[in-house]
Amino acid sequence: MNKLETLFKETYKVNPEFEYSAPSRINLIGEHIDYNGGMVLPAAISRYIKALVSKRNDNKICFKSTAFEGVLERNLDDLKYDAKYDWANYGFGIFQTLQDDGYKFKFGLNILITSNIPLGSGLSSSAAFLDLICFIASDIYNLNLTKDDIVKESVKTENVYCGLKCGIMDEAAIALGEENKCLYLNCNNFTYKKINLDLGNYKFVVLQTNKPRKLTESKYNERVDECNKALNILKNHYPSINNLCDLKPEMLNDIEKYLNDQILFKRVRHCITENDRVYQFVEALKIKDLNKISSLLKSSHDSLKNDYEVTGLHLDTITEEAIKAGAIASRMTGAGFGGCAIALVDEKIFDDFANKTSKAYEQKTGITPAIYMVDIVSGPKFERKL
Ligand code: GLA
């Protein structure tokens, strides 16, 4: 028995029966526009959440995580959201959402979670957890959920049960992940294509700022509200639009006049230009135009810094230092306000790159970052029967 299996046995007094895993994600480009009906380009990466599971004879769902003390358990017929269940709400929420949608569960589960996805760091540890539990439920209770169903049930759980206004990008990136492919996702109508992500020696590297993130949720919701406010004003002038990303760069002069508010205008300018950059990025990727890829990632970061104002000292510093240390491109990824950035680096210089970036960042911020190369991988998996 390995350490995790032993912990399972100690916690639940029975042997684990099954092992499952789900990856995390980075977003290459298309930031903060999933909730504005835009195009995004995320990919699942080789940082994982794992679960050991066994069936129970009663109707209890029990969660234990190696990152937290204690076991959290609830009955399947009493899963109303309750803040005291903290992180486990995401897990309980999946069972509630599925039951609300008509699925029935005849027995409970023991679940032990472990993860090497940094928590709250912008690599979507929560979406990975939601997708994983939904995948497990589908497998163990034979619900036959498709990958698209897993995305929908997981997003519904985060939006309705947990009350977070996030878009569909993270859950989709993870559930639909495929080796060496990124997901070209239209967040307006949930259609997508998978695009080859082969850049030869150049690999994606995660730059984890390790800056504690406190305001992420409130600031995130503030941006969502600003976008909705701008959309309501602009609908009076462009009655056919449903989302900010329906607007085009050539309309920006008029939009500035209609909004008559510099903050709202900057938010809208980010959404429109970022959406346009995603189209350009996909074309650049097809012909492996590294110069174009690099300049689009830079403009994306600049727009998130100056117009959307979600970067901050730590993300700005680590991306600048990454370029100085030899990355051909770098930008923040995810919600921002700390968290992680990504860089595109020739794997032959990785060790030197990581050293230099780490030293310079630490000198400027007093924080040691974590820097690692990642593979682009496939979505949630049944790993083995124990
Ligand atoms: C978070 C949210 C996503 C998306 C990104 C920003 O990761 O969960 O839905 O909005 O921020 O692009």
Side-chain angles (χ1 to χ4, degrees), residues 28 41 182 184 193-199 278-290 292-293 296:
L28 306 187
L41 202 66
C182 54
Y184 187 25
K193 280 190 203 140
K194 309 237 177 124
I195 311 248
N196 277 331
L197 192 57
D198 169 18
L199 294 171
V278 181
Y279 293 111
Q280 295 186 51
F281 193 95
V282 168
E283 291 312 308
L285 207 50
K286 283 186 196 153
I287 54 168
K288 301 188 187 171
D289 181 344
L290 291 173
K292 185 79 184 168
I293 286 175
L296 288 166

Side-chain angles (χ1 to χ4, degrees), residues 224-289:
V224 176
D225 293 341
E226 286 165 346
C227 288
N228 287 336
K229 194 168 164 198
L231 178 64
N232 283 332
I233 299 171
L234 292 171
K235 271 185 171 166
N236 296 322
H237 302 276
Y238 304 100
S240 65
I241 63 167
N242 294 315
N243 296 293
L244 288 181
C245 289
D246 294 336
L247 297 161
K248 300 282 170 255
E250 57 273 18
M251 299 171 173
L252 277 166
N253 281 340
D254 289 336
I255 290 172
E256 186 168 16
K257 281 185 253 144
Y258 298 146
L259 288 173
N260 195 23
D261 175 322
Q262 266 315 295
I263 298 280
L264 290 188
F265 175 62
K266 289 204 301 180
R267 306 298 188 244
V268 174
R269 183 166 59 191
H270 167 72
C271 296
I272 297 175
T273 57
E274 183 73 355
N275 199 40
D276 192 52
R277 279 187 285 272
V278 181
Y279 293 111
Q280 295 186 51
F281 193 95
V282 168
E283 291 312 308
L285 207 50
K286 283 186 196 153
I287 54 168
K288 301 188 187 171
D289 181 344

Side-chain angles (χ1 to χ4, degrees), residues 172-223:
I174 291 165
L176 299 161
E178 203 174 312
E179 213 171 297
N180 296 326
K181 301 224 161 128
C182 54
L183 185 72
Y184 187 25
L185 172 67
N186 181 331
C187 300
N188 184 29
N189 58 14
F190 190 30
T191 54
Y192 52 84
K193 280 190 203 140
K194 309 237 177 124
I195 311 248
N196 277 331
L197 192 57
D198 169 18
L199 294 171
N201 285 341
Y202 288 94
K203 299 281 180 237
F204 281 98
V205 169
V206 170
L207 313 168
Q208 197 179 309
T209 65
N210 284 339
K211 178 199 171 242
R213 289 204 300 184
K214 292 224 174 67
L215 287 170
T216 317
E217 251 169 48
S218 61
K219 286 279 179 196
Y220 184 93
N221 286 344
E222 188 182 296
R223 292 295 175 278

Side-chain angles (χ1 to χ4, degrees), residues 85-348:
Y85 291 103
D86 198 23
W87 63 272
N89 269 311
Y90 288 92
F92 292 130
I94 288 290
F95 290 94
Q96 184 60 48
T97 304
L98 289 170
Q99 291 186 123
D100 290 346
D101 288 345
Y103 296 100
K104 304 252 183 292
F105 306 117
K106 294 214 166 82
F107 54 88
L109 299 176
N110 295 316
I111 302 175
L112 170 62
I113 297 293
T114 191
S115 166
N116 68 357
I117 308 170
L119 293 180
S121 270
L123 299 186
S124 288
S125 51
S126 41
F129 183 33
L130 287 161
D131 279 357
L132 176 68
I133 299 302
C134 201
F135 183 88
I136 290 174
S138 177
D139 192 55
I140 290 192
Y141 301 108
N142 295 316
L143 308 182
N144 293 321
L145 297 180
T146 63
K147 291 179 182 179
D148 288 16
D149 294 334
I150 290 178
V151 177
K152 287 177 192 152
E153 300 291 348
S154 297
V155 171
K156 188 171 167 192
T157 303
E158 191 156 18
N159 290 167
V160 181
Y161 188 88
C162 303
L164 296 173
K165 297 180 184 179
C166 66
I168 64 169
M169 175 172 76
D170 302 342
E171 282 83 352
I174 291 165
L176 299 161
E178 203 174 312
E179 213 171 297
N180 296 326
K181 301 224 161 128
C182 54
L183 185 72
Y184 187 25
L185 172 67
N186 181 331
C187 300
N188 184 29
N189 58 14
F190 190 30
T191 54
Y192 52 84
K193 280 190 203 140
K194 309 237 177 124
I195 311 248
N196 277 331
L197 192 57
D198 169 18
L199 294 171
N201 285 341
Y202 288 94
K203 299 281 180 237
F204 281 98
V205 169
V206 170
L207 313 168
Q208 197 179 309
T209 65
N210 284 339
K211 178 199 171 242
R213 289 204 300 184
K214 292 224 174 67
L215 287 170
T216 317
E217 251 169 48
S218 61
K219 286 279 179 196
Y220 184 93
N221 286 344
E222 188 182 296
R223 292 295 175 278
V224 176
D225 293 341
E226 286 165 346
C227 288
N228 287 336
K229 194 168 164 198
L231 178 64
N232 283 332
I233 299 171
L234 292 171
K235 271 185 171 166
N236 296 322
H237 302 276
Y238 304 100
S240 65
I241 63 167
N242 294 315
N243 296 293
L244 288 181
C245 289
D246 294 336
L247 297 161
K248 300 282 170 255
E250 57 273 18
M251 299 171 173
L252 277 166
N253 281 340
D254 289 336
I255 290 172
E256 186 168 16
K257 281 185 253 144
Y258 298 146
L259 288 173
N260 195 23
D261 175 322
Q262 266 315 295
I263 298 280
L264 290 188
F265 175 62
K266 289 204 301 180
R267 306 298 188 244
V268 174
R269 183 166 59 191
H270 167 72
C271 296
I272 297 175
T273 57
E274 183 73 355
N275 199 40
D276 192 52
R277 279 187 285 272
V278 181
Y279 293 111
Q280 295 186 51
F281 193 95
V282 168
E283 291 312 308
L285 207 50
K286 283 186 196 153
I287 54 168
K288 301 188 187 171
D289 181 344
L290 291 173
N291 285 333
K292 185 79 184 168
I293 286 175
S294 161
S295 84
L296 288 166
L297 292 181
K298 178 166 175 17
S299 340
S300 170
H301 187 91
D302 289 346
S303 178
L304 289 154
K305 174 180 175 186
N306 301 318
D307 278 355
Y308 219 65
E309 298 180 274
V310 293
T311 61
L313 172 77
H314 298 79
L315 284 167
D316 293 342
T317 306
I318 211 157
T319 48
E320 277 159 28
E321 295 306 332
I323 297 289
K324 284 191 211 155
I328 58 161
S330 183
R331 70 166 204 92
M332 61 157 272
T333 195
F337 311 106
C340 288
I342 50 170
L344 201 48
V345 180
D346 185 337
E347 62 185 334
K348 294 198 289 291

